[in-house]
Amino acid sequence: MPSIKQFQVTFDCAEPERVARFWCEVLGYVVSPPKGFATWDEFDRTRPPEDQGSWFACNDPSGVGPRLFFQRVPEGKVVKNRVHLDVRVGTGLVGAERLAVLEAECTRLVALGAVRVELLADDYDACIVMQDIEGNEFCLD
């Protein structure tokens, strides 16, 4: 059986477009409407009113990272995520240099609406646990 080379990460959320646009800013992704449509608004106009705004997606413009898909669900987030994204901004760095890069990115993301939860650090390694604009946990690593 051949290995799977592509996958997408799906987020359950209350406001798909809002959460998608947040993650576009975090990761440098771009909005990608469904095939055959120039925009998500054009796609939504083909849907029944109750389904409009139910989905949104974005892609890595380089084509390397996975597609991110956001779908509206009726229930809110209740408990900690079982799976989360690690946003790798400090790869290869250690100590004070790593911490400075993580803190700078944390400041940028807080300005976008993210919430800083906690810093996990020792003399060598560090990560910052955060939440996106709907409370989904992720780490700056």
Side-chain angles (χ1 to χ4, degrees):
M1 176 176 198
S3 65
I4 296 172
K5 302 290 187 215
Q6 293 185 347
F7 67 96
Q8 78 176 10
V9 177
T10 301
F11 289 73
D12 291 347
C13 53
E15 299 179 67
E17 182 176 355
R18 180 172 174 250
V19 179
R21 291 192 183 279
F22 169 84
W23 281 103
C24 282
E25 289 295 321
V26 171
L27 301 173
Y29 272 39
V30 295
V31 171
S32 52
K35 289 193 186 312
F37 296 93
T39 66
W40 277 95
D41 287 338
E42 182 183 315
F43 170 73
D44 272 343
R45 286 192 295 275
T46 68
R47 313 284 302 151
E50 64 274 10
D51 289 340
Q52 292 177 4
S54 293
W55 306 292
F56 214 82
C58 56
N59 288 320
D60 177 354
S62 72
V64 174
R67 178 179 192 243
L68 302 182
F69 184 78
F70 303 84
Q71 61 188 10
R72 185 172 57 214
V73 296
E75 67 278 356
K77 183 178 175 307
V78 180
V79 297
K80 184 180 185 304
N81 302 5
R82 294 286 306 257
V83 175
H84 68 268
L85 300 182
D86 284 347
V87 179
R88 314 268 345 253
V89 297
T91 303
L93 303 175
V94 297
E97 185 180 17
R98 178 180 178 81
L99 190 55
V101 168
L102 294 176
E103 290 291 356
E105 184 65 2
C106 179
T107 298
R108 184 181 82 86
L109 299 183
V110 166
L112 295 174
V115 174
R116 179 190 182 118
V117 176
E118 69 178 312
L119 169 66
L120 303 173
D122 58 29
D123 291 338
Y124 179 78
D125 201 6
C127 77
I128 300 175
V129 180
M130 301 191 71
Q131 293 177 338
D132 74 8
I133 57 176
E134 284 200 2
N136 299 301
E137 294 88 6
F138 68 97
C139 291
L140 290 180
D141 179 27

